[in-house]
Short mmCIF file of all heavy atoms in Angstrom, two decimals:
data_model
loop_
_atom_site.label_atom_id
_atom_site.label_comp_id
_atom_site.label_asym_id
_atom_site.label_seq_id
_atom_site.Cartn_x
_atom_site.Cartn_y
_atom_site.Cartn_z
N ARG F 133 0.72 -1.25 0.03
CA ARG F 133 -0.02 -0.01 0.03
C ARG F 133 0.89 1.30 -0.06
O ARG F 133 0.31 2.42 0.06
CB ARG F 133 -0.97 0.02 1.27
CG ARG F 133 -2.09 -0.98 1.06
CD ARG F 133 -2.73 -1.31 2.29
NE ARG F 133 -3.87 -2.33 2.10
CZ ARG F 133 -3.66 -3.57 1.93
NH1 ARG F 133 -2.54 -4.17 1.93
NH2 ARG F 133 -4.65 -4.35 1.77
N GLY F 134 2.11 1.13 -0.14
CA GLY F 134 3.00 2.30 -0.16
C GLY F 134 3.15 2.91 1.23
O GLY F 134 3.36 4.18 1.20
N ILE F 135 3.06 2.18 2.28
CA ILE F 135 3.08 2.76 3.61
C ILE F 135 4.33 2.32 4.27
O ILE F 135 4.61 1.06 4.28
CB ILE F 135 1.83 2.29 4.49
CG1 ILE F 135 0.54 2.86 3.70
CG2 ILE F 135 1.95 2.83 5.89
CD1 ILE F 135 -0.66 2.28 4.38
N LYS F 136 5.13 3.16 5.00
CA LYS F 136 6.39 2.76 5.71
C LYS F 136 5.95 2.27 7.02
O LYS F 136 5.28 2.86 7.74
CB LYS F 136 7.32 3.91 5.80
CG LYS F 136 8.59 3.59 6.53
CD LYS F 136 9.49 4.72 6.64
CE LYS F 136 10.78 4.28 7.47
NZ LYS F 136 11.64 5.34 7.71
N VAL F 137 6.45 0.95 7.21
CA VAL F 137 6.05 0.38 8.56
C VAL F 137 7.37 0.34 9.37
O VAL F 137 8.38 -0.22 8.89
CB VAL F 137 5.53 -1.11 8.35
CG1 VAL F 137 5.29 -1.74 9.67
CG2 VAL F 137 4.20 -0.99 7.54
N VAL F 138 7.33 0.82 10.60
CA VAL F 138 8.48 0.76 11.49
C VAL F 138 8.19 -0.16 12.72
O VAL F 138 7.11 -0.31 13.05
CB VAL F 138 8.91 2.06 11.97
CG1 VAL F 138 9.33 2.99 10.90
CG2 VAL F 138 7.76 2.79 12.73
N GLY F 139 9.16 -0.90 13.12
CA GLY F 139 9.06 -1.87 14.24
C GLY F 139 9.25 -1.12 15.54
O GLY F 139 9.91 -0.12 15.56
N ILE F 140 8.78 -1.70 16.65
CA ILE F 140 9.00 -1.22 17.93
C ILE F 140 9.38 -2.37 18.86
O ILE F 140 9.12 -3.54 18.52
CB ILE F 140 7.68 -0.49 18.56
CG1 ILE F 140 6.56 -1.54 18.62
CG2 ILE F 140 7.35 0.76 17.67
CD1 ILE F 140 5.44 -0.99 19.47
N ASP F 141 9.94 -2.13 20.01
CA ASP F 141 10.36 -3.12 20.90
C ASP F 141 9.17 -3.21 21.88
O ASP F 141 8.77 -2.30 22.59
CB ASP F 141 11.61 -2.63 21.70
CG ASP F 141 11.97 -3.62 22.82
OD1 ASP F 141 11.23 -4.77 22.84
OD2 ASP F 141 12.85 -3.41 23.52
N ALA F 142 8.42 -4.35 21.69
CA ALA F 142 7.23 -4.55 22.54
C ALA F 142 7.50 -5.34 23.88
O ALA F 142 6.51 -5.70 24.41
CB ALA F 142 6.25 -5.37 21.76
N ALA F 143 8.74 -5.36 24.26
CA ALA F 143 9.05 -6.21 25.49
C ALA F 143 8.42 -5.72 26.70
O ALA F 143 7.97 -6.48 27.67
CB ALA F 143 10.68 -6.25 25.69
N ASN F 144 8.14 -4.38 26.84
CA ASN F 144 7.50 -3.85 28.01
C ASN F 144 6.05 -3.58 27.90
O ASN F 144 5.49 -3.02 28.79
CB ASN F 144 8.27 -2.54 28.50
CG ASN F 144 9.70 -2.90 28.88
OD1 ASN F 144 9.85 -3.88 29.54
ND2 ASN F 144 10.56 -1.98 28.57
N LEU F 145 5.46 -3.98 26.74
CA LEU F 145 4.00 -3.76 26.52
C LEU F 145 3.18 -4.90 27.27
O LEU F 145 3.70 -6.04 27.48
CB LEU F 145 3.61 -3.75 25.08
CG LEU F 145 4.18 -2.62 24.29
CD1 LEU F 145 3.91 -2.76 22.85
CD2 LEU F 145 3.66 -1.18 24.84
N PRO F 146 2.04 -4.61 27.60
CA PRO F 146 1.19 -5.67 28.28
C PRO F 146 1.04 -6.93 27.30
O PRO F 146 0.84 -6.60 26.11
CB PRO F 146 -0.11 -5.05 28.54
CG PRO F 146 0.09 -3.56 28.64
CD PRO F 146 1.27 -3.43 27.59
N ASP F 147 1.20 -8.00 27.79
CA ASP F 147 1.12 -9.23 26.97
C ASP F 147 2.29 -9.41 25.86
O ASP F 147 2.13 -10.28 25.02
CB ASP F 147 -0.21 -9.43 26.33
CG ASP F 147 -1.29 -9.47 27.35
OD1 ASP F 147 -1.06 -9.99 28.44
OD2 ASP F 147 -2.41 -8.90 27.08
N GLY F 148 3.30 -8.48 25.91
CA GLY F 148 4.40 -8.62 24.90
C GLY F 148 5.07 -9.93 24.97
O GLY F 148 5.34 -10.43 23.88
N GLU F 149 5.27 -10.44 26.16
CA GLU F 149 6.02 -11.77 26.25
C GLU F 149 5.21 -12.87 25.59
O GLU F 149 5.71 -13.80 24.94
CB GLU F 149 6.37 -12.17 27.64
CG GLU F 149 7.29 -13.30 27.77
CD GLU F 149 7.70 -13.54 29.23
OE1 GLU F 149 7.78 -12.64 30.01
OE2 GLU F 149 7.93 -14.77 29.57
N ILE F 150 3.81 -12.83 25.99
CA ILE F 150 2.95 -13.88 25.37
C ILE F 150 2.94 -13.78 23.84
O ILE F 150 2.93 -14.84 23.14
CB ILE F 150 1.45 -13.64 25.94
CG1 ILE F 150 1.45 -13.88 27.41
CG2 ILE F 150 0.48 -14.52 25.22
CD1 ILE F 150 0.18 -13.60 28.09
N ALA F 151 2.80 -12.58 23.31
CA ALA F 151 2.83 -12.39 21.90
C ALA F 151 4.17 -12.87 21.31
O ALA F 151 4.12 -13.59 20.17
CB ALA F 151 2.62 -10.92 21.58
N ALA F 152 5.21 -12.46 21.89
CA ALA F 152 6.55 -12.94 21.44
C ALA F 152 6.75 -14.51 21.29
O ALA F 152 7.40 -14.92 20.41
CB ALA F 152 7.68 -12.33 22.19
N LYS F 153 6.01 -15.15 22.18
CA LYS F 153 6.07 -16.61 22.19
C LYS F 153 4.98 -17.25 21.32
O LYS F 153 4.85 -18.54 21.28
CB LYS F 153 5.92 -17.09 23.60
CG LYS F 153 7.09 -16.78 24.50
CD LYS F 153 6.93 -17.31 25.94
CE LYS F 153 8.13 -17.05 26.88
NZ LYS F 153 7.96 -17.42 28.18
N GLY F 154 4.27 -16.42 20.59
CA GLY F 154 3.25 -16.97 19.62
C GLY F 154 1.88 -17.30 20.29
O GLY F 154 1.08 -18.00 19.77
N GLY F 155 1.70 -16.78 21.47
CA GLY F 155 0.48 -17.06 22.22
C GLY F 155 -0.87 -16.62 21.58
O GLY F 155 -1.97 -17.15 21.94
N PHE F 156 -0.84 -15.70 20.69
CA PHE F 156 -2.03 -15.21 19.98
C PHE F 156 -2.23 -15.84 18.63
O PHE F 156 -3.13 -15.46 17.98
CB PHE F 156 -1.97 -13.72 19.93
CG PHE F 156 -1.96 -12.97 21.29
CD1 PHE F 156 -0.94 -12.15 21.48
CD2 PHE F 156 -2.89 -13.34 22.18
CE1 PHE F 156 -0.81 -11.48 22.72
CE2 PHE F 156 -2.79 -12.69 23.44
CZ PHE F 156 -1.72 -11.74 23.77
N LEU F 157 -1.38 -16.76 18.21
CA LEU F 157 -1.47 -17.57 16.98
C LEU F 157 -2.39 -18.60 17.13
O LEU F 157 -2.62 -19.24 18.24
CB LEU F 157 -0.12 -17.86 16.45
CG LEU F 157 0.88 -16.81 16.21
CD1 LEU F 157 2.23 -17.43 15.88
CD2 LEU F 157 0.44 -15.93 15.08
N PRO F 158 -2.95 -19.16 16.08
CA PRO F 158 -3.87 -20.39 16.13
C PRO F 158 -3.09 -21.59 16.56
O PRO F 158 -1.89 -21.68 16.14
CB PRO F 158 -4.44 -20.51 14.71
CG PRO F 158 -3.60 -19.67 13.77
CD PRO F 158 -2.87 -18.58 14.66
N GLY F 159 -3.72 -22.59 17.16
CA GLY F 159 -3.21 -23.61 17.79
C GLY F 159 -2.91 -24.65 16.62
O GLY F 159 -3.39 -24.48 15.47
N PRO F 160 -2.21 -25.83 16.83
CA PRO F 160 -1.91 -26.81 15.89
C PRO F 160 -3.11 -27.47 15.31
O PRO F 160 -2.99 -28.06 14.16
CB PRO F 160 -0.97 -27.83 16.59
CG PRO F 160 -1.33 -27.64 18.05
CD PRO F 160 -1.67 -26.18 18.30
#
């Protein structure tokens, strides 16, 4: 879409650790 996307460090965000471990992805 021609939009620049920048990353952020989500380590200190609520549920950041869960997200980093794939906790919000669909199960097997």
Side-chain angles (χ1 to χ4, degrees):
R133 289 166 178 74
I135 299 169
K136 182 180 178 181
V137 175
V138 296
I140 62 165
D141 179 4
N144 294 322
L145 295 177
D147 300 327
E149 187 175 334
I150 295 170
K153 292 180 180 178
F156 300 124
L157 298 174

